[in-house]
C-alpha cells in the first residue's frame, strides 16, 4: 500500500524524523492560509500524487508570498500531472502540500528496504540525492553505500555513523544524521513498511546554522500487515489506486493491472510469472497479474474472471491452472458462473492440469462455452497471443 508524501511526513515526524513544517490543502484559499500560518520567506507547493518526478512534470513550485502560493496551488490543483512514473495518461492532482522551503547546502539519498536474499534489512545511502536513484544504481553503483541490518539486533549506532561518514557529512552533523537514520529505521519496523525513502535528505542552512532535514518522503507498506496498522490503512487513497486492484485486494485476490491485452488467471505466483513470460516470448503482452491462490472458491474464481473481463484492453483471456490444492473443477465452475453473469466477447484459452482435471474439462465442454483448449503452457500462451491478434 502507498500513501501520499504529506502522510509520510506526518508519520516520520511522529517517529522523531526532522521534516519541514507544512500542511496539505485541497483549494487555493486553503493553500494560501497555510502559507500565512507558516510565515516564512520562501514556500514550496507540491502536487500530491502517488508518483515520482513531480518537479519535472510541473507539480512542484516555489513561492515568495502567500498570494503566490495560492496562484501556484490554483495551477497545480486539477491538473493531469504526467511524470515518468504515471505514464502518458498522468494523474489528477487533488491536493497540494504547502511547506517551508529550505536553503539547501547538500543533498543525499537515504532508503530502507527488505533484502530477501540475505533476510536482512538494507539501509542504503548515496551522495547523489535529488536524482533518479535507479539510474545511479545502474550507472554508478560505487556511489551507493549499504549497511545490512540484522532484524534481531536492529540498527547499531556505529552503522549509522559509518554511513554518515561515507556520505562525507560534516563531523558536527554526524550525530544528527545518525539519529535521523535510527528514527527512520524505527519507523520502518513499527509501521511494517516495505520501503522507506528520503530523496532528498538535505543539509540545510538557516542564519548560518546547518541542520539535517528529510525534505521528501515515500513510504510503502506490507499489505499483509495492514490488519495491525489500522491508522495507516485509513490513509489509503482509493482515487490513486486501480479500482480493480483495490476490489481484488478486498476479495483476497492478488491482482496487478498491466498494459497488455491478454488477461491472465493463474494459480500460484510463480506459475503466473512464467505464464506472463511465455506470453511475451510469443510476442504478446499480459494485461494483468492475477493469482487466485490455492484456497479459492467457485465464487472467488468467478469474481477474478469478472475482474479480467472488466478491463476493456483485454482481447483474449488465458486461464492456466495446475491443480494441487486448487482443484480444476472449482476453476471450471467459476469460469462458467462468471460467463453466465458477464457476456464473454473475447476468445478464451484454457489449460487445466492436476487435481480433478478430467472433471474440470468435462464441465467446460458440457457448458457449451466457446473456448480454446490447450494441453501445455507453451501451447496455451501461443494460442492466447494468436487469439488476441484475431488469428
Amino acid at each position: 500500500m502507498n500513501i501520499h508524501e504529506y502522510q509520510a511526513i506526518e508519520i516520520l515526524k511522529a517517529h522523531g524524523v526532522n521534516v519541514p513544517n507544512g500542511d496539505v490543502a485541497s483549494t487555493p484559499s486553503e493553500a494560501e492560509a497555510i502559507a500565512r500560518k507558516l510565515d516564512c520567506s520562501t514556500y514550496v507547493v507540491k502536487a500530491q500524487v502517488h508518483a515520482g518526478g513531480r518537479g519535472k512534470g510541473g507539480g512542484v513550485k516555489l513561492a515568495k508570498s502567500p498570494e503566490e502560493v495560492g496562484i501556484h496551488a490554483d495551477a497545480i490543483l486539477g491538473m493531469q500531472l504526467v511524470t515518468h512514473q504515471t505514464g502518458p495518461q498522468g494523474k489528477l492532482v487533488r491536493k497540494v502540500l504547502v511547506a517551508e522551503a529550505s536553503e539547501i547546502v547538500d543533498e543525499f539519498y537515504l532508503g530502507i528496504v527488505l533484502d530477501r536474499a540475505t533476510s536482512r534489512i538494507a539501509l542504503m545511502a548515496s551522495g547523489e540525492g535529488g536524482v533518479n536513484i535507479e539510474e545511479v544504481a545502474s550507472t554508478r553503483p560505487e556511489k551507493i553505500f549499504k549497511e545490512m541490518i540484522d532484524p534481531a539486533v536492529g540498527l547499531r549506532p556505529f552503522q549509522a555513523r559509518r554511513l554518515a561518514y561515507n556520505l562525507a557529512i560534516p563531523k558536527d552533523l554526524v550525530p544528527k544524521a545518525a539519529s535521523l537514520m535510527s528514527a527512520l529505521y524505527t519507523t520502518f519496523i513499527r509501521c511494517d513498511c516495505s520501503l522507506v525513502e528520503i530523496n532528498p535528505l538535505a543539509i540545510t542552512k538557516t542564519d548560518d546554522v546547518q541542520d539535517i532535514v528529510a525534505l521528501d518522503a515515500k513510504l510503502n507498506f506490507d499489505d499483509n500487515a495492514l490488519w495491525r496498522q489500522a491508522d495507516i490503512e485509513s490513509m489509503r487513497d482509493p482515487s490513486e489506486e486501480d479500482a480493480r486492484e483495490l476490489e481484488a485486494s478486498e476479495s483476497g485476490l492478488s491482482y496487478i493491472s498491466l498494459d497488455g491485452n491478454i488477461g491472465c488467471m493463474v494459480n500460484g505466483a510463480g506459475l503466473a510469472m512464467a505464464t506472463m513470460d511465455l506470453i511475451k516470448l510469443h510476442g504478446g503482452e499480459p494485461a494483468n497479474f492475477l493469482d487466485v491462490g490455492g484456497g479459492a472458491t467457485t465464487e472467488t474464481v468467478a469474481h477474478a474472471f469478472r475482474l479480467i473481463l472488466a478491463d476493456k484492453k483485454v482481447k483474449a483471456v488465458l486461464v492456466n491452472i495446475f491443480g494441487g490444492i486448487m482443484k480444476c473443477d472449482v476453476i471450471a465452475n467459476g469460469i462458467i458462473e462468471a460467463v453466465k453473469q458477464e457476456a464473454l466477447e473475447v476468445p478464451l484459452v484454457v489449460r487445466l492440469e492436476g487435481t480433478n482435471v478430467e472433471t474440470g474439462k468435462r464441465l467446460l465442454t458440457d457448458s457449451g462455452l466457446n473456448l480454446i483448449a490447450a494441453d501445455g503452457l507453451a501451447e496455451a500462451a501461443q494460442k492466447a497471443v494468436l487469439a488476441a491478434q484475431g488469428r
Side-chain angles (χ1 to χ4, degrees):
M1 184 188 117
N2 300 331
I3 59 174
H4 288 292
E5 176 194 3
Y6 76 91
Q7 296 167 319
I9 286 174
E10 289 174 5
I11 292 173
L12 292 180
K13 186 176 182 179
H15 286 85
V17 178
N18 192 15
V19 296
N21 292 320
D23 207 346
V24 66
S26 301
T27 66
S29 59
E30 286 180 5
E32 187 172 335
I34 292 169
R36 293 188 185 282
K37 187 176 179 180
L38 290 173
D39 190 25
C40 55
S41 60
T42 309
Y43 309 87
V44 60
V45 184
K46 306 173 78 174
Q48 296 299 284
V49 295
H50 289 179
R54 292 167 295 167
K56 293 180 180 179
V60 179
K61 300 290 185 182
L62 293 175
K64 291 292 186 180
S65 68
E67 292 80 11
E68 191 177 1
V69 167
I71 293 171
H72 287 322
D74 188 44
I76 294 173
L77 287 166
M79 75 182 296
Q80 204 72 22
L81 182 61
V82 178
T83 78
H84 67 283
Q85 291 186 6
T86 65
Q89 75 280 2
K91 284 182 174 289
L92 178 64
V93 181
R94 295 179 172 86
K95 295 180 180 181
V96 293
L97 171 65
V98 180
E100 295 176 340
S102 303
E103 182 181 347
I104 299 174
V105 177
D106 206 351
E107 294 183 336
F108 310 93
Y109 168 88
L110 190 63
I112 305 179
V113 295
L114 176 63
D115 187 332
R116 299 185 184 278
T118 62
S119 297
R120 298 199 171 206
I121 296 167
L123 174 60
M124 303 180 296
S126 174
E128 304 292 317
V131 300
N132 191 335
I133 196 64
E134 290 84 4
E135 180 182 335
V136 176
S138 62
T139 60
R140 290 166 291 165
E142 73 282 357
K143 295 289 186 180
I144 295 182
F145 304 98
K146 293 183 182 179
E147 290 290 337
M148 305 307 294
I149 305 166
D150 185 340
V153 177
L155 177 65
R156 309 313 297 159
F158 80 87
Q159 291 179 298
R161 290 195 300 270
R162 182 164 60 193
L163 206 55
Y165 285 126
N166 283 336
L167 294 174
I169 289 176
K171 288 184 179 180
D172 60 327
L173 290 177
V174 167
K176 283 190 174 183
S179 178
L180 185 144
M181 292 178 196
S182 178
L184 212 61
Y185 177 76
T186 299
T187 305
F188 184 90
I189 297 299
R190 288 183 180 173
C191 297
D192 289 306
C193 296
S194 56
L195 169 72
V196 171
E197 192 173 60
I198 307 298
N199 191 20
L201 173 71
I203 296 178
T204 63
K205 184 171 70 171
T206 304
D207 297 329
D208 294 326
V209 177
Q210 292 189 344
D211 202 357
I212 292 279
V213 184
L215 293 186
D216 199 345
K218 179 179 180 180
L219 270 62
N220 293 351
F221 303 93
D222 183 352
D223 289 344
N224 295 315
L226 289 177
W227 62 272
R228 60 187 180 197
Q229 299 288 351
D231 290 345
I232 289 172
E233 188 172 21
S234 68
M235 295 180 177
R236 186 190 293 272
D237 185 351
S239 68
E240 287 286 329
E241 300 186 35
D242 185 287
R244 290 184 299 274
E245 292 183 11
L246 188 59
E247 182 182 345
S249 67
E250 292 172 350
S251 301
L253 294 166
S254 296
Y255 177 94
I256 299 173
S257 182
L258 301 173
D259 295 329
N261 63 359
I262 299 175
C264 304
M265 183 164 69
V266 190
N267 66 318
L271 185 58
M273 296 296 290
T275 301
M276 293 191 295
D277 285 345
L278 278 170
I279 287 173
K280 292 180 72 71
L281 180 66
H282 288 287
E285 290 291 336
N288 63 271
F289 169 99
L290 199 164
D291 172 17
V292 296
T297 63
T298 296
E299 291 74 19
T300 305
V301 172
H303 188 186
F305 203 76
R306 288 194 298 272
L307 282 172
I308 294 173
L309 295 179
D311 186 349
K312 300 306 179 184
K313 302 190 306 294
V314 170
K315 301 301 181 185
V317 177
L318 170 57
V319 176
N320 180 30
I321 301 297
F322 191 87
I325 299 173
M326 169 55 67
K327 297 177 176 60
C328 293
D329 57 324
V330 173
I331 293 292
N333 280 320
I335 293 171
I336 295 167
E337 184 64 28
V339 173
K340 284 180 181 178
Q341 300 174 24
E342 302 282 339
L344 182 62
E345 298 177 352
V346 297
L348 171 63
V349 180
V350 179
R351 180 251 181 168
L352 299 177
E353 292 292 348
T355 307
N356 294 352
V357 63
E358 296 303 328
T359 303
K361 288 181 177 179
R362 185 171 63 254
L363 286 168
L364 290 173
T365 300
D366 294 345
S367 71
L369 291 179
N370 183 20
L371 57 83
I372 303 168
D375 292 326
L377 176 51
E379 178 188 339
Q382 188 172 25
K383 286 184 174 180
V385 171
L386 292 174
Q389 294 171 349
R391 297 161 61 187

